[in-house]
Structure formats: structure tokens, C-alpha cells
Amino acid sequence: MKIREKSRSFKYLSKLSGLSVVTAKPKDVPSSPAGSTSPEMDPGIWSRLPPELLDHVLSFLPLRTCFNLRSTCKHFDSLLYSPSFVSKHSDSSFSSFLLLAHPQCFRQLPLYDSALGTWRSLPLSVSVSLPSGIPSTALVSTANGLVCFSLRNSCSFVVCNLLTKSSRLIEFPYHPFAFELLTLISVPLGYKIFTLFSGSSPVSALVFDSRDHSWRRFDNFAPILGDNHRQEAACYNGRLYFVTPEPFSIVTFDLENGEWEEPDIVMPEDLTFVRLVSDGDRKLYMIGGIGRNGISRSLKLWEFSEQRNWVEIENVPQMICKKFMSICYHNYKHVYCFWHQGTICLCCHTWPEILYYKLSRRTWHWLPKCPSLPERWSCGFRWFSFVPELYASA
């Protein structure tokens, strides 16, 4: 980087960081008056710092400031694409969010900052490729900092990185635009989209691979999956896991060869409903109701062990269980769950609150209704985990 370019960049850096810049030579720099709280930056000194030391100093700035510095010089712009530079920031540089999609919030998406316990909003116009404020635009899945919307009017999907404002339009390969159980899966150097194409008979499985921008169709679909189309597949050991209707059993789908398998996994007795969730690919969990004749008397959480059986790890407290059952009225097709930063979130399509379980503390909590929702809200609550990721490529 040229010294003149560095000097201009540091003047801009000073404005963003709240520091004052002096233009005197180093030997002429006057001493700060007593009690002064404004440090001074001399471009004559800062522009001659070794690159590795300069990068280390800049790593202490908030990432928001680093984004604003991108336009000042090529070096600052390239820093944000350097894994070694970004890795110097603490894990809290990016917050993680619970993202709400609701029919009454189609112009912006409410975000709950799970680290700070505060609410924010995200305008849908954040991406130039996403039509803003169109009810036919629906958020359908998230993974690894990417979000996937369905565009009903154009029979396509758009995958966005909301942090870098990059996006990709993906046309649906068949007509009609009928899909179920869509799941966005993060894979090395890209992502995949799994969905069932319900516009054909029999139903087919479709897999989109971002690495070669292609769809693959697998017509050997045999299992009958549940009617809960809001529940995404659980990715575990490179396969997608699903649950069939009663009598409940597990079926899996291999993303590479498109083969379905029904492993011999014994399910707990007296199940009334079942939902699967994974922590990314390492552990698989199951949450379900226990009761008779479709009426749940308790809620339990199991973990899938290395011996390929279910081990009970938690029994939901009775008061919390009663509230959740009163919310869904034992109509379990509205119930879905997902993983978010060490927590298992259990939701109901007709209720604005989230019941979540912190595995590290082994405690259950309720996330209250979003304050931006109107007093008379309608059903249609879809919650997602959103963890911004700078290097996630759409």
C-alpha cells in the first residue's frame, strides 16, 4: 500500500473511531494537555507500520467499522476476506438471532438477538434480488448464515447472505411450483437444497447443489412422511432424518446417492408426536409427547447414542408441558423444532412464543411474543435460526 494512500485511509479511520488526526511530523507532535481524553493519530507514524502490526491494530475495531473502511483502500477491503484477520475478532463480533417470518411482517423480519436479549428488525429490501414487501415471498429455510426464500410468482428460490448482500436466484426445475419439507444444508464449499416435489406422482426427491448449480431428481421415493410440512429434515452423519406417521419410525435420505433407508431404530413407547433436530451434524435429538389416544401427558427429550438407540435426557417440567399442550390443543401438525446455538427450540405455528431448552444449563425457558407484532395477531409463525457468516457464499 502506498504511503499517501495509507495516510488518506487513516484520516478516514480516525473519523470512524472517534480519534483526532494531526498532520505534524513526529518530532513536532505537541504533548496532550493535562486531562485531555482525545488521543491523537499521526499519519506520518501510522502509515509506516509493518502490515502485520497494522492488521493486528485494526482487528480491535468493531467489524461494522471495518465494513465502513472498505471503500478507503484496497488493503482494507481485502482484510474482510482474510480468515486470519476475521479470526482475531471475538466470537461475539456477530450476534446470533432468532428470525421470525409472519404474514403480518412481510415488509420486514423481526430478529431476536439471543446474546443481548433485544429485538431488531430486518427490511426485506436488504438484498437487491429480493422483491420487497411482496406477500408471495416467503422465508423457507436457513443454514450457515444463508437464508432461502421462495418466490411464488417466479417459481424460483433466492438464497441470500444478508451480511454481504449477495444472492443467487435458483429456478425450480419443474411445474407446478409444488414443494414440501424444503431444507437448506451447509456442505463444504457450498450448500444443498433438499425438497420433495409434490407435483408428480409418485412424489420425487429433488436436490440442488450450489457447487455446480444443478438439480438432481430421485424418483425412488417410497416412505410416507408425516403431514408436518413446517418441520425441516435433521442432518446427521451426512444423511437427512425424517419421521413417519404412526406407528412412528425413522427414515433417512442419502444426499449423495439419493437412496432412502429405514434403519432398525427402536422408538420409545406411547409416543403421540415426534420431532427430530440435530446440532449441525454431530448429535441427533428427538423431542416428543408421551400419552394415549393422541393426548400428550408429558414431553420428553432423547439423544441418539452411538449404540443407535434413544437415551432419555430430559423430562419437560409439568407446568411448562401443560402450557405448551394448551397452546397447540394437541394438534401436533402445527408443532416444529429447530437448533439454535446450543438450544433446542420448540414452536407452534399458531403461537408467537418459543419454548427453548438450553443444553449447557439443562433449563427450559419461554421467549415472549415479539413486541412489534400487533395485538390481534394471526397464525403463521415461522421461526428460524440465523447466525450471520461472512464467508458463506450464496
Side-chain angles (χ1 to χ4, degrees), residues 227-293:
D227 59 354
N228 184 0
H229 306 312
R230 302 174 184 90
Q231 179 64 50
E232 297 185 22
C235 187
Y236 175 67
N237 281 344
R239 302 182 72 94
L240 299 182
Y241 280 67
F242 304 86
V243 179
T244 66
E246 292 187 76
F248 300 109
S249 63
I250 303 295
V251 293
T252 67
F253 178 80
D254 192 309
L255 284 168
E256 293 299 326
N257 56 34
E259 293 182 355
W260 291 90
E261 180 184 349
E262 190 169 357
D264 186 17
I265 301 175
V266 178
M267 302 292 280
E269 297 181 353
D270 299 328
L271 288 171
T272 54
F273 77 94
V274 175
R275 299 292 179 265
L276 298 177
V277 63
S278 70
D279 63 354
D281 202 41
R282 298 178 299 276
K283 291 186 177 182
L284 181 67
Y285 299 93
M286 178 175 72
I287 187 166
I290 300 294
R292 295 289 179 87
N293 302 319

Side-chain angles (χ1 to χ4, degrees), residues 90-98 111-120 340-341 343 356 358 361 367 386-388:
S90 64
D91 294 335
S92 60
S93 296
F94 294 132
S95 295
S96 60
F97 302 94
L98 290 170
L111 296 172
Y112 179 76
D113 191 322
S114 53
L116 301 178
T118 57
W119 288 91
R120 305 182 186 182
H340 175 71
Q341 297 293 88
T343 64
Y356 64 96
K358 287 189 174 183
R361 298 182 180 179
L367 176 64
F386 176 54
V387 183

Side-chain angles (χ1 to χ4, degrees), residues 174 197 199-207 215-220:
Y174 303 103
F197 177 45
S200 64
S201 182
V203 176
S204 302
L206 302 178
V207 177
W215 286 95
R216 297 174 66 192
R217 178 170 177 169
F218 304 97
D219 292 321
N220 58 342

Side-chain angles (χ1 to χ4, degrees), residues 116-239:
L116 301 178
T118 57
W119 288 91
R120 305 182 186 182
S121 61
L122 175 68
L124 277 183
S125 57
V126 67
S127 171
V128 294
S129 298
L130 186 63
S132 175
I134 299 180
S136 62
T137 301
L139 179 60
V140 290
S141 188
T142 64
N144 192 38
L146 299 176
V147 296
C148 179
F149 294 88
S150 67
L151 307 179
R152 191 183 312 159
N153 291 344
S154 61
C155 298
S156 58
F157 303 104
V158 59
V159 175
C160 310
N161 184 327
L162 302 180
L163 190 62
T164 61
K165 297 185 179 181
S166 60
S167 62
R168 173 187 290 192
L169 187 68
I170 303 170
E171 295 184 0
F172 196 67
Y174 303 103
H175 293 280
F177 189 46
F179 60 92
E180 299 175 1
L181 301 175
L182 187 140
T183 305
L184 183 66
I185 307 108
S186 176
V187 296
L189 303 179
Y191 58 87
K192 292 186 177 183
I193 297 176
F194 168 89
T195 188
L196 295 181
F197 177 45
S198 55
S200 64
S201 182
V203 176
S204 302
L206 302 178
V207 177
F208 174 83
D209 195 328
S210 68
R211 294 170 293 188
D212 57 11
H213 199 78
S214 66
W215 286 95
R216 297 174 66 192
R217 178 170 177 169
F218 304 97
D219 292 321
N220 58 342
F221 178 78
I224 299 176
L225 303 182
D227 59 354
N228 184 0
H229 306 312
R230 302 174 184 90
Q231 179 64 50
E232 297 185 22
C235 187
Y236 175 67
N237 281 344
R239 302 182 72 94

